Amino acid sequence: MNLTILRKNERAQVVLGLLIGIAFGFLLQKGQVTSYDVIMGQLLLIDFTVVKVMGSAILTGMIGFYLLRNRGLVQRHVRTGSWGSNVIGGLIFGLGFGLLGYCPGTVAGAVGQGSLDALFGGVIGLLIGAGIFARVYPVLSKKILNRGAFKSTLIPDLLHVQEQTAVVLMAIGIVVVLGGLEILGF
Amino acid sequence: MVWYFDLPYWDPYLVGVGIGLLVCLAFLLSDRPIGCSTAFVKIRGLIEKLIRGPKVEAMEYYRQIPPRVDWQFMIVPGIMIGAFFSSVLGGTFSPGWIPPLWQQTFGGTIYLRVLVALLGGIFLAMGARWAGGCTSGHGISGSLQLSVASIVSAACFFAGGILTAMVLIHVIG
């Protein structure tokens, strides 16, 4: 099948990575989520642009992914999480998120729109942090990352429902949250 | 169509739908979730390789995430280029060191902003690699696959971020 050939063609994939990155950066910037004030506004709970972008992205992507997967065109890329990895790592990420005011994708977008704090603070900091992590990884992977593994990998397993039921429940949840924000005037 | 690119910003819901479709396209054409934090490990590894030579590749973490120019690497320069075009077309491109909210809270000292951003970047990269993904990899691409690990990670990103931002702006600021 042509898709298999395309996915294995490393040169084509480098070009595709660049093109998907360009489209992603374009969308993030047009959505204003490459702006420090918009991201901090979300974390301060006064501006809900980030939730609106992420909520509608998850809703659209979830339905699209479900339909494509039912036709055998895409496969899942998920891992079973753990307290040691996802909760501790997630909270450390949050500390950095609040201090920097950008995340790893939006910091790159902020650089593109001219934010010099994102370039000389954020990107340099990320490169330092990546180097530190590479050095502590052997110890972390032995002692912390696998601690307290989650029992379920997927939401349907967690809730003991069928996959399509979980998709419908997630979709309702997202619509309720986004609708609620609109009704409350955010 | 061209006039639409000239708008400074688009509706956030429209942008979200676009990102959702883009993630599906990445799964379809590249068999990958869109994630950004891996690229920083690859860039860091390549810089280390330039300075310290090929022995860098023997490090356990770089054996898992090889420092090379590939799909995952290209996402980050791609985002920079895409955001550059979007901001230039929309007339929102503006070089600056201090965002307005920071200016209001802490004033216009450049080194203070850069120092805190640097510290934030260090924690952000460590946390992202610790949790195995960032706002796009876990928050969007993982959540839409109904991954428990991704949804828990995203909840922790925002819980930690909200707490930190509140303390930074309301308590310290």
Side-chain angles (χ1 to χ4, degrees), chain A residues 29 110-117, chain B residues 9 87-88 91-98:
Chain A
Q29 208 278 335
V111 169
Q113 69 183 13
S115 308
L116 298 168
D117 57 328
Chain B
Y9 299 115
S87 62
V88 168
T92 52
F93 180 83
S94 71
W97 289 96
I98 316 238

Side-chain angles (χ1 to χ4, degrees), chain B residues 60-107:
Chain B
E60 193 179 337
Y61 200 54
Y62 293 133
R63 267 182 286 153
Q64 287 201 15
I65 302 180
R68 59 166 180 247
V69 177
D70 54 13
W71 191 95
Q72 286 170 303
F73 178 101
M74 292 311 282
I75 289 291
V76 162
I79 291 174
M80 290 179 183
I81 296 167
F84 173 75
F85 281 128
S86 166
S87 62
V88 168
L89 287 171
T92 52
F93 180 83
S94 71
W97 289 96
I98 316 238
L101 176 66
W102 180 278
Q103 172 96 35
Q104 272 172 39
T105 319
F106 297 105

Side-chain angles (χ1 to χ4, degrees), chain B residues 78-168:
Chain B
I79 291 174
M80 290 179 183
I81 296 167
F84 173 75
F85 281 128
S86 166
S87 62
V88 168
L89 287 171
T92 52
F93 180 83
S94 71
W97 289 96
I98 316 238
L101 176 66
W102 180 278
Q103 172 96 35
Q104 272 172 39
T105 319
F106 297 105
T109 321
I110 291 176
Y111 81 88
L112 186 66
R113 169 61 191 145
V114 173
L115 206 66
V116 173
L118 193 76
L119 196 65
I122 293 172
F123 283 121
L124 196 65
M126 291 195 64
R129 294 327 306 156
W130 198 305
C134 64
T135 328
S136 39
H138 271 317
I140 298 175
S141 300
S143 299
L144 66 81
Q145 296 178 77
L146 308 174
S147 153
V148 174
S150 294
I151 293 171
V152 169
S153 300
C156 293
F157 296 164
F158 281 94
I162 288 169
L163 187 70
T164 308
M166 294 277 185
V167 170
L168 181 73

Side-chain angles (χ1 to χ4, degrees), chain A residues 7 13 22 29-30 32 37 57 75 77 84-86 100 103 113-114 116-117 127 135 137 153 155 182, chain B residues 5 7 9-10 13 16 28 30-31 44 48 52 64 71 86 92 96 101 113 130 135 145-146 148 153:
Chain A
R7 288 169 181 175
Q13 288 302 324
I22 290 174
Q29 208 278 335
K30 283 277 182 254
Q32 285 188 270
D37 283 36
Q75 52 184 353
H77 291 264
S85 163
N86 302 98
L100 175 58
C103 58
Q113 69 183 13
L116 298 168
D117 57 328
L127 294 177
R135 276 155 186 80
Y137 176 75
T153 304
I155 293 291
E182 292 302 318
Chain B
F5 289 136
L7 291 176
Y9 299 115
W10 292 351
Y13 296 115
L28 187 66
S30 303
D31 192 25
R44 166 74 195 212
E48 278 193 62
R52 296 174 48 223
Q64 287 201 15
W71 191 95
S86 166
T92 52
L101 176 66
R113 169 61 191 145
W130 198 305
T135 328
Q145 296 178 77
L146 308 174
V148 174
S153 300

